Structures are given as C-alpha cells and as structure tokens.
Amino acid sequence: MSEGDGAGEGAGRSGEESTRVERTVMRGIERVAGVTDEIVHHRGPNGARAFVNAFFGDRLDVAGSALSHTMGVRRRGRSVPLTREGLATAYPEATGEVVVLVHGLLVTETFWQQGRFGHRLREDLGLTPVTVRYNTGLRISHNGHDLDRILTRLVAHWPVPVTRLVLVGHSMGGLVVHSALAQADVEGPGSAWVDLVSDTVTLGSPHVGAPLERLADTTARAAGTLRHVRPLARLLSSRSVGIQDLRHGNILDEEWDGADPVDRVGRRVDVPLHPGIRHLAVVGLLGKKIDSRVAQLLGDGIVTAASARGEGRRSPEHRRFPAEDVVVLPGVSHLGLVRDESVYAAIRDRLGARVDP
C-alpha cells in the first residue's frame, strides 16, 4: 500500500467517524428534545434544538427529522395555527397594527423575551407582537420564501383587519426579513402583506457578510490541506448552508443556486430596499467611542459596523441604508441588541413617528 493510499483510507475513516458522531449526537438530542412542538415547548430543549438546527438544520430538513424547526408563528413556545380561529385564540386582544419579530442564529423566538420589546411596543404604541420560529440552518432565501408565506396567511386570517405591519429582525433574522420582501415582489399579487408594511428594523444584521463566517471558511480550506487537522476541516465544512449564507449576506436564490462551491468571492445581487417602506438599521459597538478604530473593526463583537449598516467592503461609499436611517449605539454588544434600553428607545421613536403616505 502506498503512502497516498494510507492517507486516503485514514481520511475516509475520519470522515465516517465524524459522520457517526454527528448522527449519534443528533439522535440523542432528538430523544431529549422531544418529537413535536405540541409536546415540547420549554426553553431548554428548544434551545438545544435551535443550536443543532443552526449547524445541521439543512440535513435535518432533508431527512425529515423531528428535530428540525419549521417556520411558523409561536406563542409561549407553542405553534399557532394560521387560521381565523387559531389566531383569535392565541391573540384575543389583537389590534390592527402588528409587529413581527424574527430571531437570529442559534436561538428561538424566546430570545426576544430578554428585552420584552414586543410587550413594550404593545404598551407604548399599540402594536400586537407576533414571534416566529424557523430553522436557521436552511438557506436564508428559503426562509425568506417561508416568511412570505407565513405573513400572507397571517394577514389573511388575523382576527381584525391589519392596517399596519412592522418587521423586526435580529442578526440573521434581519436578512430573512429583507429576503421575504425581495422575493415577495417577484411572486405577484399573492403577497398583499407587503403593502401593509410601514417599517423594517434590523438589529446587527450582516447585510454585506459576517467576518466570522469568512474566517470559518478560510480555516476549513486551510485545514483541509493538512492531514493531521483534516477532521477539523470536515467539521467546519459540515456547517449548514444557512451559516454559509452569512459569509456574503446572501438573501436570494440566484446568489447561491448553481454557484461554484470553491468560489470564495461569491455572487452578490444588489437588492434595492423596498420603496414606500421606512428601513432602520441599528448598529451596536463594543467600544464607547463611535469613531474608535477598534469599535468600528469589532462592531458589536459578531458583526462589523460596516456590515450592519450595509456598507460595501469593496466600495465603502455604497451604503444600503441612508445615513439618516442608521442608528449607531456604542457600548451595545450583538446579543445586547435585543435587551438594551437605548435600542428599544430607537425602535420606539422610529415606529412612533408615523409618516402618512
């Protein structure tokens, strides 16, 4: 046997072992986390499911695993049927103005409870909060399609006529929101909900990509060339397509469909902001000084300030959001964006300042 044959056989065994470990871990979590959303609705098990969905959700979905989260409205951890009766039961005090909260990677809708933003928007502005849960390991464009479908049914069967719709997304959730809007445009008149949207708010969303995902991609490629760390390369390479979409902030099918998997540059489609809707981008900074190079470089610790405000890496002069629609908040971390008082104040002030068409 040649040295090359031995290395190939060893690599094969390592790959099989990592696959077996992955399957064993997922089967174990499935037994612990339960089999249906109706039975398991507690934060702990669903937190474990959210973590596994983030990294392996694309494969769970293909396999039809009970561990895979599906896009849907959740209240107090339980699925809400998108029927007139189901929504009326879940929201007995529904108002005509609705705010939909879309979480980010690694978490579920319970993440919003930290800052109680939805509850406070109800008290301060009369907006009825609706939270959704989804499989963050799927393509962002896939979840955008599903959010379009959910919002279509939500508006059609809401207990009272919807007069205003506000969409708020944290991190990946902000990309899902913009994906739904972009794709609803090309799907025709079935997406009547778009005409009801007055505002979108993104909190620390990587509009032009996340450096951590680019680092993971670079590390996986480098580790793959070294025999002794190939298991690490396989582990990194097994991360879900949802995470990989964060590399460039992809929100459309055409940005990944048919693309060369070894293409490190990626395909970017310049998706314009939907006209007639106000769009607010909230940017967190770890540092206390807005102009600090460290603060600008690290951003909120996960997403850079430039990406959160939609500033292109290759052309900094091109920004997705006008300066007046960007709020930069020093001293606020990525996770703190859902509970910080200054963030809530920025959201409340924007949504409270109604602009009549």
Side-chain angles (χ1 to χ4, degrees), residues 22 25-37 45-46 48-53 56-57 60-61 64-70 135:
E22 180 181 309
V25 169
M26 287 193 286
R27 282 198 300 268
I29 296 178
E30 280 187 345
R31 286 195 293 268
V32 173
V35 293
T36 68
D37 286 336
N46 275 323
R49 293 175 68 189
F51 184 87
V52 176
N53 271 245
F56 310 115
L60 294 173
D61 181 69
S65 171
L67 189 59
S68 175
H69 284 152
T70 56
N135 181 342

Side-chain angles (χ1 to χ4, degrees), residues 182-234:
Q183 296 181 97
D185 282 347
V186 300
E187 291 180 2
S191 301
W193 61 268
V194 175
D195 294 333
L196 298 171
V197 179
S198 66
D199 298 82
T200 73
V201 180
T202 57
L203 309 177
S205 296
H207 293 285
V208 296
L212 285 179
E213 163 52 21
R214 290 195 288 270
L215 176 62
D217 180 61
T218 300
T219 303
R221 293 173 188 272
T225 64
L226 304 173
R227 186 177 52 153
H228 297 295
V229 290
R230 280 176 187 155
L232 172 62
R234 292 190 188 91

Side-chain angles (χ1 to χ4, degrees), residues 41-177:
H41 55 277
H42 296 290
R43 184 178 301 181
N46 275 323
R49 293 175 68 189
F51 184 87
V52 176
N53 271 245
F55 287 96
F56 310 115
D58 49 349
R59 277 153 288 173
L60 294 173
D61 181 69
V62 170
S65 171
L67 189 59
S68 175
H69 284 152
T70 56
M71 172 75 78
V73 173
R74 300 293 198 281
R75 190 166 197 202
R76 299 187 179 95
R78 294 187 180 276
S79 298
V80 177
L82 295 180
T83 62
R84 180 78 62 175
E85 181 181 1
L87 289 167
T89 299
Y91 301 96
E93 299 179 357
T95 64
E97 300 191 0
V98 180
V99 56
V100 177
L101 304 166
V102 186
H103 63 79
L105 188 69
L106 294 171
V107 297
T108 68
E109 77 288 346
T110 60
F111 193 59
W112 292 105
Q113 294 175 6
Q114 295 186 31
R116 302 179 73 242
F117 283 5
H119 176 78
R120 296 174 69 183
L121 287 173
R122 171 62 187 255
E123 290 187 333
D124 293 345
L125 301 177
L127 291 162
T128 301
V130 173
T131 55
V132 301
R133 182 191 302 172
Y134 65 102
N135 181 342
T136 59
L138 298 180
R139 290 284 183 186
I140 290 173
S141 59
H142 180 116
N143 282 316
H145 279 299
D146 280 350
L147 182 59
D148 174 28
R149 174 180 54 83
I150 292 297
L151 293 175
T152 297
R153 296 183 62 187
L154 181 77
V155 167
H157 301 297
W158 193 245
V160 299
V162 177
T163 58
R164 183 190 188 190
L165 195 59
V166 174
L167 307 178
V168 180
H170 175 249
S171 196
M172 177 188 278
L175 299 186
V176 173
V177 164

Side-chain angles (χ1 to χ4, degrees), residues 241-260:
V241 292
I243 291 179
Q244 293 180 48
D245 275 346
L246 295 175
R247 190 183 318 157
H248 303 296
N250 293 340
I251 65 173
L252 298 178
D253 292 345
E254 50 263 44
E255 292 179 303
W256 57 264
D257 189 18
D260 185 348

